């Protein structure tokens, strides 16, 4: 803009278009266009030079042949921009289609190239992001990775795909990544329990999107959380929050962490074969530790040092006991002296003397306990293998 002021100064002194063109490295037509625009303003050169650079620039931009402000064409287009933005989100809607519809309604409307230029400027301005300053110990963000990992069931040879939960403390960018048996809510909150045990503290809030394991009823202002989520939060004294529907920037840090999970965890493990979920998670933990100890690119330290120095001291203390969500169901002991846990369709043995009796099965994500009346008759490590059997030799008759 200072160059523009200098050009006007030269014009006021009667310099030729050719000399101005050569001095400032612009075409003679450009100098001529400035001259015509100044004439349209009906202002003296000294009046124009008394204005600020920005005021001169705006005046010369507004005095073009189209007279945008006069014919209202631009304002008409601007009034429809919100509609165009929402329509572009719908399947199959293109800018060309929107322009064709716009031109049918607006005879003197912009041509396609100008329409696209104005629309692009509007979209760029409407997508401006706000920078968040996260406080240490304030929030934990949670999300599922869009892609799954897999392992091979050693007993059956079946390839088992498993969802991956990603958690991150935004202030220190310290992550936690775990592959779960499935995406049921009990495994989500069991993983969160493992994480807060690992970091030896609790943040003030936990933010997730509106996944069904977490939110019962979505709302922009007051989402309703399911019973397990409320019980877990009450036990640890943490406040649950949910991102707005279809607003991923509300939890931008964990969205970025999901991408980092692909590059720092998924990619290094892509050529390895695992034969159990435990083996897969051991490898994930090793890769996560390596990632957390990598130096930051644009600042001192790493995720681990940032967490240990600043984040961990800001966390609230843990309660003395962990929250454990237990299920209780009734089952009948089958002739093969096993009971079926219907949720996983897995069979667990009991002493053969209980064949035909009704028993109570109490289980959590780690353990399955079987009771006859008030007497515990069997305890098994929980297995998630469909149609599988967990059998103790001492439960068998001698002839078996």
């Amino acid at each position: 803009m200072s160059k523009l002021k200098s050009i006007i100064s030269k014009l006021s002194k009667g310099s030729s278009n050719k000399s101005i063109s050569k001095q400032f490295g612009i075409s003679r037509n450009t100098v001529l266009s400035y001259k015509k625009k100044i004439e349209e303003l009906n202002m003296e050169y000294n009046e124009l030079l008394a204005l600020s650079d920005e005021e001169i620039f705006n005046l010369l931009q507004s005095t073009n042949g189209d007279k945008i402000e006069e014919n209202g064409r631009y304002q008409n287009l601007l009034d429809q921009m919100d509609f165009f933005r929402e329509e572009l989100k719908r399947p199959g809607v293109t800018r060309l289609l929107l322009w064709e519809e716009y031109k049918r309604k607006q005879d003197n409307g912009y041509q396609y190239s100008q329409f696209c230029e104005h629309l692009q400027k509007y979209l760029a301005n409407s997508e401006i992001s706000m920078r968040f300053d996260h406080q240490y110990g304030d929030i934990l963000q949670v999300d599922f990775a869009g892609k799954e990992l897999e392992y091979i069931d050693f007993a059956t040879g079946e390839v088992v795909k498993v969802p991956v939960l990603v958690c991150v403390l935004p202030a220190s960018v310290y992550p936690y990544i775990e592959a779960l048996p499935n995406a049921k809510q009990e495994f989500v909150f069991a993983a969160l329990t493992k994480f807060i045990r690992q970091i030896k503290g609790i943040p003030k809030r936990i933010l997730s999107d509106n996944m069904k394991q977490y939110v019962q009823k979505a709302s922009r202002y007051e989402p309703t959380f399911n019973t397990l989520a409320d019980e877990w939060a009450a036990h640890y004294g943490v406040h649950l929050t949910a991102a707005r529907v279809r607003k991923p920037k509300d939890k931008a840090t964990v969205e970025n962490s999901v991408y980092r999970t692909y590059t720092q965890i998924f990619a290094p493990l892509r050529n390895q074969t695992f034969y159990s979920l435990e083996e897969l998670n051991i490898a994930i933990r090793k890769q996560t530790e390596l990632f957390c100890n990598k130096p930051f690119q644009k600042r001192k330290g790493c995720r681990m040092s940032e967490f240990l120095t600043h984040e961990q001291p800001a966390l609230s203390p843990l309660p003395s006991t962990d929250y454990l969500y237990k299920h209780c169901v009734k089952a009948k002991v089958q002739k093969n002296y096993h009971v079926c846990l219907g949720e996983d369709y897995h069979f667990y043995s009991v002493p053969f003397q209980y064949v035909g009796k009704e028993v109570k099965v109490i289980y959590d994500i780690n353990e399955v306990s079987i009771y006859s009346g008030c007497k515990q008759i069997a305890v098994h490590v929980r297995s998630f293998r469909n149609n599988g059997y967990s059998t103790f030799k001492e439960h068998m008759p001698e002839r078996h």
Side-chain angles (χ1 to χ4, degrees):
M1 286 188 285
S2 58
K3 183 190 283 190
L4 183 59
K5 207 166 189 178
S6 299
I7 292 170
I8 295 170
S9 177
K10 289 290 182 184
L11 288 171
S12 69
K13 293 173 183 176
S15 299
S16 68
N17 294 350
K18 184 176 180 180
S19 64
I20 296 173
S21 168
K22 186 177 289 187
Q23 181 178 351
F24 293 99
I26 57 177
S27 72
R28 277 182 280 181
N29 286 336
T30 302
V31 179
L32 185 61
S33 69
Y34 284 141
K35 215 170 185 179
K36 287 181 178 179
K37 288 178 181 179
I38 292 169
E39 290 172 1
E40 289 178 12
L41 288 170
N42 290 322
M43 291 180 68
E44 297 292 335
Y45 284 119
N46 57 350
E47 291 181 275
L48 201 57
L49 290 169
L51 301 174
S52 68
D53 290 349
E54 188 175 0
E55 287 172 327
I56 293 172
F57 179 78
N58 290 334
L59 277 173
L60 294 183
Q61 288 297 307
S62 66
T63 56
N64 54 51
D66 291 334
K67 297 290 182 182
I68 292 173
E69 287 77 13
E70 291 178 16
N71 61 28
R73 179 166 68 152
Y74 178 71
Q75 188 59 47
N76 178 275
L77 179 65
L78 194 63
D79 291 342
Q80 299 180 65
M81 286 298 188
D82 285 339
F83 169 75
F84 293 149
R85 182 182 60 188
E86 294 305 315
E87 287 297 294
L88 282 172
K89 296 176 183 178
R90 299 176 65 178
V93 177
T94 64
R95 297 184 183 202
L96 179 60
L97 176 64
L98 292 176
W99 174 75
E100 289 171 346
E101 294 173 350
Y102 159 76
K103 280 291 283 182
R104 282 198 291 269
K105 296 177 182 177
Q106 191 78 15
D107 293 335
N108 67 334
Y110 290 101
Q111 295 304 311
Y112 181 62
S113 59
Q114 289 178 297
F115 174 85
C116 289
E117 184 180 345
H118 288 305
L119 180 58
Q120 183 57 38
K121 286 179 181 178
Y122 176 81
L123 293 175
N125 289 332
S126 65
E127 292 171 3
I128 293 172
S129 298
M130 176 181 174
R131 181 180 177 273
F132 286 97
D133 286 318
H134 294 289
Q135 303 298 315
Y136 292 111
D138 178 53
I139 193 167
L140 169 66
Q141 295 184 3
V142 182
D143 201 3
F144 274 105
K147 300 176 183 177
E148 296 177 317
L149 287 174
E150 61 183 38
Y151 67 91
I152 297 175
D153 190 315
F154 190 80
T156 65
E158 176 191 3
V159 176
V160 182
K161 293 187 177 293
V162 290
V164 178
L165 187 71
V166 180
C167 310
V168 65
L169 295 162
S172 60
V173 211
Y174 184 78
Y176 177 79
I177 300 147
E178 183 180 347
L180 308 182
N182 57 56
K184 290 181 180 178
Q185 59 178 356
E186 60 182 301
F187 299 110
V188 172
F189 285 98
L192 291 176
T193 300
K194 289 180 191 175
F195 182 39
I196 62 175
R197 277 290 165 193
Q198 176 184 306
I199 62 178
K200 300 177 182 178
I202 308 169
K204 295 181 178 66
R205 296 182 294 144
I206 294 181
L207 173 68
S208 173
D209 59 12
N210 289 274
M211 57 187 185
K212 61 183 178 181
Q213 300 91 336
Y214 190 84
V215 175
Q216 183 174 322
K217 184 179 179 183
S219 168
R220 181 168 183 171
Y221 304 104
E222 291 187 12
T224 304
F225 300 97
N226 59 50
T227 303
L228 175 55
D230 281 334
E231 288 179 359
W232 189 91
H235 181 83
Y236 289 105
V238 64
H239 177 61
L240 299 179
T241 56
R244 294 170 295 170
V245 177
R246 295 179 183 177
K247 297 291 182 181
K249 287 187 179 182
D250 284 0
K251 51 182 179 62
T253 308
V254 74
E255 294 286 341
N256 184 56
S257 292
V258 168
Y259 169 74
R260 295 289 183 187
T261 299
Y262 296 147
T263 59
Q264 303 295 325
I265 310 298
F266 281 52
L269 300 180
R270 70 190 185 281
N271 295 323
Q272 296 185 39
T273 303
F274 305 98
Y275 293 97
S276 69
L277 184 63
E278 292 73 21
E279 190 179 335
L280 173 59
N281 275 319
I282 288 171
I284 290 174
R285 285 195 291 272
K286 287 180 180 178
Q287 284 300 132
T288 305
E289 187 176 345
L290 290 173
F291 173 51
C292 288
N293 284 289
K294 279 185 178 180
F296 288 123
Q297 290 184 346
K298 297 181 181 179
R299 54 173 168 153
K300 293 181 180 179
C302 61
R303 285 168 171 78
M304 182 65 76
S305 63
E306 191 76 7
F307 167 73
L308 294 174
T309 306
H310 302 290
E311 189 92 58
Q312 194 174 54
L315 298 172
S316 302
L318 290 166
S320 56
T321 58
D322 285 337
Y323 177 82
L324 200 58
Y325 185 62
K326 288 185 177 288
H327 301 266
C328 181
V329 295
K330 291 181 179 180
K332 188 175 182 179
V333 181
Q334 300 177 6
K335 287 184 179 181
N336 61 3
Y337 47 89
H338 285 73
V339 295
C340 178
L341 186 58
E343 184 175 333
D344 308 319
Y345 205 73
H346 190 89
F347 297 84
Y348 298 91
S349 67
V350 300
F352 69 90
Q353 295 89 345
Y354 291 92
V355 168
K357 293 186 177 181
E358 187 177 73
V359 294
K360 186 185 294 182
V361 183
I362 298 175
Y363 64 97
D364 54 43
I365 64 164
N366 301 312
E367 188 178 84
V368 177
S369 299
I370 304 169
Y371 291 81
S372 177
C374 295
K375 183 182 178 182
Q376 187 183 73
I377 59 175
V379 180
H380 293 267
V381 174
R382 187 173 175 184
S383 173
F384 301 97
R385 182 159 56 92
N386 282 357
N387 292 300
Y389 282 78
S390 296
T391 308
F392 289 138
K393 188 176 180 179
E394 55 267 30
H395 292 165
M396 300 179 176
E398 285 185 14
R399 64 182 182 276
H400 286 187

